[in-house]
Amino acid sequence: MNVFITFEGGEGAGKTTIINRLAQRLTEDGYQVINTREPGGIPIAERIRDIILDTKNTMMDARTEALLYAAARRQHLVEKVEPALREGKIVLCDRFVDSSLAYQGAARGLGVEEVFQINQFAIAGQMPDLTLFFDIQPEEGLKRINKNAEREQNRLDLESLTFHQQVYEAYQQLLAKFPDRIERIDANFGIIEVEEQSYKKIKAYLSR
């Protein structure tokens, strides 16, 4: 069963923790699962990630940023995601195209449609089968980040609250635009409950 599932949300939504737990749980259910992330997941894309998220790179132009994300996405897709799907695996991916639409398209002001076009070139039509959007207000997500001493600060953490609110609003619009693909997860709860919501959504999709 090859299924491409992506996880979206603002900073501090808890995606990464939940993905790791879901990967283990689905593996125990007998599925072949890989979990990965964007930007990153493979050496070339991880190096691009380092450039994008480096706090020293505050001069980076918004279009440069969008193009770097698309470049990392392309390499990750052809090197890791598509081979896994061909092998019949479930791919759990922390962020994908929707992140670019929300962060660069909306919050950076480049235009959602314009950024979607850049990414169409990068992904050649390979959209997720299912996307889980972890819904939490930006203020709450940023509070979580500030409490997490182990988390490394990245360039996006330096953005204003207004920027993160624009990201959040863009995700709400994407939720309305793609109701057949994007499912909302209430991320205000603790890890166990958020994991349970996510697991139920994925199992419901797999049993279709």
Side-chain angles (χ1 to χ4, degrees), residues 86-129:
R86 284 195 294 271
E87 290 166 8
K89 293 176 180 173
I90 295 173
V91 177
L92 307 180
C93 187
D94 188 345
R95 299 198 180 281
F96 195 59
V97 168
D98 297 302
S99 282
S100 286
L101 302 183
Y103 282 81
Q104 284 74 50
R108 293 274 188 241
L110 295 179
V112 171
E113 193 51 44
E114 286 79 356
V115 172
F116 192 61
Q117 290 307 317
I118 293 170
N119 280 279
Q120 278 304 308
F121 179 74
I123 65 174
Q126 177 65 72
M127 286 294 282
D129 298 301

Coordinates of all heavy atoms in Angstrom, one line a residue, residues 86-129:
R86 N 7.1 3.6 -4.7 CA 7.1 2.5 -5.7 C 7.3 1.2 -5.0 O 6.9 0.1 -5.5 CB 8.3 2.8 -6.7 CG 8.0 3.8 -7.7 CD 9.0 3.8 -8.9 NE 10.3 4.1 -8.5 CZ 10.8 5.4 -8.5 NH1 10.0 6.4 -8.9 NH2 12.1 5.6 -8.1
E87 N 7.9 1.2 -3.8 CA 8.1 -0.1 -3.1 C 6.9 -0.4 -2.2 O 6.9 -1.4 -1.5 CB 9.4 0.1 -2.1 CG 10.7 0.1 -2.9 CD 11.8 0.6 -2.0 OE1 11.7 0.7 -0.8 OE2 12.9 0.8 -2.6
G88 N 5.8 0.4 -2.3 CA 4.6 0.1 -1.6 C 4.6 0.5 -0.2 O 3.8 0.0 0.6
K89 N 5.4 1.5 0.2 CA 5.5 2.0 1.5 C 4.6 3.2 1.8 O 4.1 3.9 0.9 CB 6.9 2.4 1.9 CG 7.9 1.2 1.9 CD 9.3 1.6 2.1 CE 10.2 0.4 2.1 NZ 11.6 0.8 2.1
I90 N 4.3 3.4 3.1 CA 3.6 4.6 3.5 C 4.7 5.6 3.9 O 5.6 5.3 4.7 CB 2.7 4.4 4.8 CG1 1.6 3.4 4.4 CG2 2.2 5.7 5.3 CD1 0.8 3.0 5.6
V91 N 4.6 6.8 3.3 CA 5.6 7.8 3.5 C 4.9 8.9 4.4 O 3.9 9.5 4.0 CB 6.1 8.5 2.2 CG1 7.1 9.6 2.5 CG2 6.8 7.4 1.3
L92 N 5.5 9.1 5.6 CA 5.1 10.2 6.5 C 6.1 11.3 6.3 O 7.3 11.1 6.7 CB 5.0 9.7 7.9 CG 4.2 8.5 8.2 CD1 4.3 8.2 9.7 CD2 2.8 8.6 7.8
C93 N 5.7 12.5 5.9 CA 6.6 13.6 5.6 C 6.2 14.9 6.4 O 5.1 15.4 6.3 CB 6.7 13.9 4.1 SG 7.9 15.1 3.6
D94 N 7.2 15.3 7.2 CA 7.1 16.6 7.9 C 7.3 17.8 7.0 O 8.4 18.1 6.7 CB 8.1 16.6 9.1 CG 7.9 17.7 10.1 OD1 7.2 18.6 9.8 OD2 8.6 17.6 11.1
R95 N 6.2 18.3 6.5 CA 6.1 19.5 5.6 C 6.2 19.0 4.1 O 6.9 18.1 3.8 CB 7.1 20.6 5.9 CG 6.9 21.2 7.3 CD 7.6 22.5 7.4 NE 7.5 23.2 8.7 CZ 6.4 23.8 9.1 NH1 5.3 23.9 8.3 NH2 6.4 24.4 10.3
F96 N 5.5 19.8 3.3 CA 5.6 19.6 1.8 C 5.1 20.9 1.2 O 5.4 22.0 1.7 CB 4.8 18.4 1.4 CG 5.1 17.9 0.0 CD1 6.4 17.5 -0.3 CD2 4.1 17.8 -1.0 CE1 6.7 17.0 -1.6 CE2 4.4 17.3 -2.3 CZ 5.7 16.9 -2.6
V97 N 4.5 20.8 0.0 CA 4.1 22.0 -0.8 C 3.3 23.0 0.0 O 3.6 24.2 -0.1 CB 3.3 21.6 -2.0 CG1 2.7 22.8 -2.7 CG2 4.3 20.9 -3.0
D98 N 2.4 22.6 0.9 CA 1.6 23.5 1.6 C 2.4 24.5 2.5 O 2.0 25.6 2.6 CB 0.6 22.8 2.5 CG -0.4 21.9 1.6 OD1 -1.1 22.5 0.8 OD2 -0.4 20.7 1.8
S99 N 3.5 24.0 3.0 CA 4.4 24.9 3.8 C 4.9 26.1 2.9 O 4.9 27.2 3.4 CB 5.6 24.2 4.3 OG 5.2 23.4 5.4
S100 N 5.3 25.8 1.7 CA 5.7 26.9 0.8 C 4.6 27.9 0.5 O 4.8 29.1 0.4 CB 6.3 26.3 -0.5 OG 7.6 25.7 -0.2
L101 N 3.4 27.3 0.3 CA 2.2 28.2 -0.1 C 1.9 29.1 1.1 O 1.7 30.3 0.9 CB 1.0 27.3 -0.4 CG 1.2 26.3 -1.6 CD1 -0.1 25.6 -1.8 CD2 1.7 27.0 -2.8
A102 N 2.0 28.6 2.3 CA 1.7 29.4 3.5 C 2.8 30.3 3.9 O 2.6 31.5 4.1 CB 1.4 28.4 4.7
Y103 N 4.1 29.8 3.9 CA 5.2 30.7 4.4 C 5.7 31.7 3.3 O 5.8 32.9 3.6 CB 6.4 29.8 4.8 CG 6.2 29.2 6.2 CD1 5.4 28.0 6.4 CD2 6.8 29.8 7.3 CE1 5.3 27.5 7.6 CE2 6.6 29.2 8.6 CZ 5.9 28.1 8.7 OH 5.7 27.5 10.0
Q104 N 6.0 31.1 2.1 CA 6.5 32.0 1.1 C 5.4 32.7 0.3 O 5.4 33.9 0.0 CB 7.5 31.3 0.1 CG 8.8 31.0 0.7 CD 8.8 29.9 1.7 OE1 8.3 28.8 1.5 NE2 9.4 30.1 2.9
G105 N 4.4 31.9 -0.1 CA 3.3 32.5 -0.9 C 2.5 33.6 -0.2 O 2.3 34.7 -0.7
A106 N 2.1 33.2 1.1 CA 1.2 34.2 1.8 C 2.1 35.1 2.7 O 2.1 36.3 2.6 CB 0.2 33.4 2.7
A107 N 2.8 34.5 3.7 CA 3.5 35.4 4.7 C 4.6 36.2 4.1 O 4.8 37.4 4.5 CB 4.0 34.5 5.8
R108 N 5.3 35.7 3.1 CA 6.4 36.5 2.4 C 5.8 37.4 1.3 O 6.5 38.2 0.7 CB 7.4 35.6 1.8 CG 8.2 34.8 2.8 CD 9.4 35.6 3.3 NE 10.3 34.8 4.1 CZ 10.6 35.0 5.3 NH1 10.1 36.0 6.0 NH2 11.4 34.2 6.0
G109 N 4.5 37.2 1.0 CA 3.8 38.1 0.0 C 4.2 37.8 -1.4 O 4.0 38.6 -2.3
L110 N 4.7 36.6 -1.7 CA 5.0 36.3 -3.1 C 3.8 35.8 -3.9 O 3.9 35.8 -5.2 CB 6.1 35.1 -3.2 CG 7.4 35.4 -2.6 CD1 8.3 34.2 -2.7 CD2 8.1 36.6 -3.3
G111 N 2.7 35.5 -3.3 CA 1.5 35.0 -4.0 C 1.4 33.5 -3.9 O 2.4 32.8 -4.3
V112 N 0.3 33.0 -3.4 CA 0.1 31.6 -3.3 C 0.2 30.9 -4.6 O 0.8 29.9 -4.8 CB -1.2 31.3 -2.5 CG1 -1.5 29.8 -2.6 CG2 -1.1 31.7 -1.1
E113 N -0.5 31.5 -5.6 CA -0.5 30.9 -7.0 C 0.9 30.8 -7.6 O 1.3 29.9 -8.2 CB -1.5 31.6 -7.9 CG -1.8 30.9 -9.2 CD -2.3 29.4 -9.0 OE1 -3.1 29.1 -8.0 OE2 -1.8 28.6 -9.7
E114 N 1.6 31.9 -7.4 CA 3.0 32.0 -8.0 C 3.9 31.0 -7.4 O 4.6 30.3 -8.1 CB 3.6 33.4 -7.7 CG 3.0 34.5 -8.6 CD 1.7 35.0 -8.1 OE1 1.1 34.5 -7.1 OE2 1.1 36.0 -8.8
V115 N 3.8 30.8 -6.1 CA 4.7 29.8 -5.4 C 4.2 28.4 -5.8 O 5.0 27.5 -5.9 CB 4.7 30.0 -3.9 CG1 5.4 28.9 -3.1 CG2 5.3 31.3 -3.5
F116 N 2.9 28.2 -6.0 CA 2.4 26.9 -6.4 C 3.0 26.5 -7.8 O 3.3 25.4 -8.0 CB 0.9 26.9 -6.4 CG 0.3 25.5 -6.6 CD1 0.5 24.6 -5.6 CD2 -0.5 25.2 -7.7 CE1 -0.1 23.3 -5.7 CE2 -1.1 24.0 -7.8 CZ -0.9 23.0 -6.8
Q117 N 3.1 27.5 -8.7 CA 3.6 27.2 -10.0 C 5.1 26.8 -9.9 O 5.5 25.9 -10.6 CB 3.5 28.5 -10.9 CG 2.1 28.8 -11.3 CD 1.4 27.6 -11.9 OE1 1.9 26.9 -12.8 NE2 0.1 27.4 -11.5
I118 N 5.9 27.5 -9.1 CA 7.3 27.1 -8.9 C 7.4 25.6 -8.4 O 8.2 24.8 -8.9 CB 8.0 27.9 -7.8 CG1 8.2 29.4 -8.3 CG2 9.4 27.4 -7.4 CD1 8.6 30.3 -7.1
N119 N 6.5 25.3 -7.5 CA 6.5 23.9 -7.0 C 5.9 22.9 -7.9 O 6.3 21.7 -7.8 CB 5.8 23.9 -5.6 CG 6.7 24.5 -4.5 OD1 7.5 23.7 -4.0 ND2 6.6 25.7 -4.2
Q120 N 5.0 23.3 -8.8 CA 4.5 22.3 -9.8 C 5.7 21.8 -10.6 O 5.8 20.7 -11.0 CB 3.5 23.0 -10.7 CG 2.1 23.0 -10.1 CD 1.6 21.6 -9.7 OE1 1.7 20.6 -10.5 NE2 1.2 21.4 -8.5
F121 N 6.6 22.8 -11.0 CA 7.8 22.4 -11.7 C 8.7 21.4 -10.9 O 9.2 20.4 -11.4 CB 8.6 23.6 -12.1 CG 9.9 23.3 -12.8 CD1 9.9 23.0 -14.1 CD2 11.1 23.4 -12.2 CE1 11.1 22.7 -14.8 CE2 12.3 23.2 -12.8 CZ 12.3 22.8 -14.2
A122 N 8.7 21.7 -9.6 CA 9.6 20.8 -8.7 C 9.0 19.4 -8.5 O 9.7 18.4 -8.5 CB 9.8 21.5 -7.4
I123 N 7.7 19.4 -8.3 CA 7.1 18.1 -7.9 C 6.4 17.3 -9.1 O 6.1 16.1 -8.9 CB 6.0 18.2 -6.8 CG1 4.8 19.0 -7.3 CG2 6.6 18.9 -5.5 CD1 3.7 19.1 -6.3
A124 N 6.3 18.0 -10.2 CA 5.7 17.3 -11.4 C 4.4 16.6 -11.1 O 4.2 15.4 -11.5 CB 6.8 16.4 -12.0
G125 N 3.6 17.2 -10.4 CA 2.2 16.7 -10.1 C 2.1 15.7 -8.9 O 1.0 15.2 -8.7
Q126 N 3.2 15.4 -8.3 CA 3.2 14.5 -7.1 C 2.7 15.2 -5.9 O 3.5 15.7 -5.1 CB 4.5 13.9 -6.9 CG 4.6 12.9 -5.7 CD 3.8 11.6 -5.9 OE1 4.1 10.8 -6.7 NE2 2.7 11.5 -5.1
M127 N 1.3 15.2 -5.7 CA 0.8 15.8 -4.5 C 0.5 14.7 -3.4 O 0.5 13.5 -3.7 CB -0.5 16.5 -4.8 CG -0.4 17.8 -5.6 SD 0.4 19.1 -4.6 CE -0.9 19.7 -3.6
P128 N 0.4 15.1 -2.1 CA 0.1 14.1 -1.1 C -1.3 13.5 -1.3 O -2.2 14.1 -1.8 CB 0.2 14.9 0.2 CG 0.8 16.2 -0.2 CD 0.5 16.4 -1.6
D129 N -1.4 12.2 -0.8 CA -2.7 11.6 -0.8 C -3.6 12.2 0.4 O -4.8 12.4 0.3 CB -2.6 10.1 -0.6 CG -1.8 9.5 -1.8 OD1 -2.3 9.6 -2.9 OD2 -0.7 8.9 -1.5

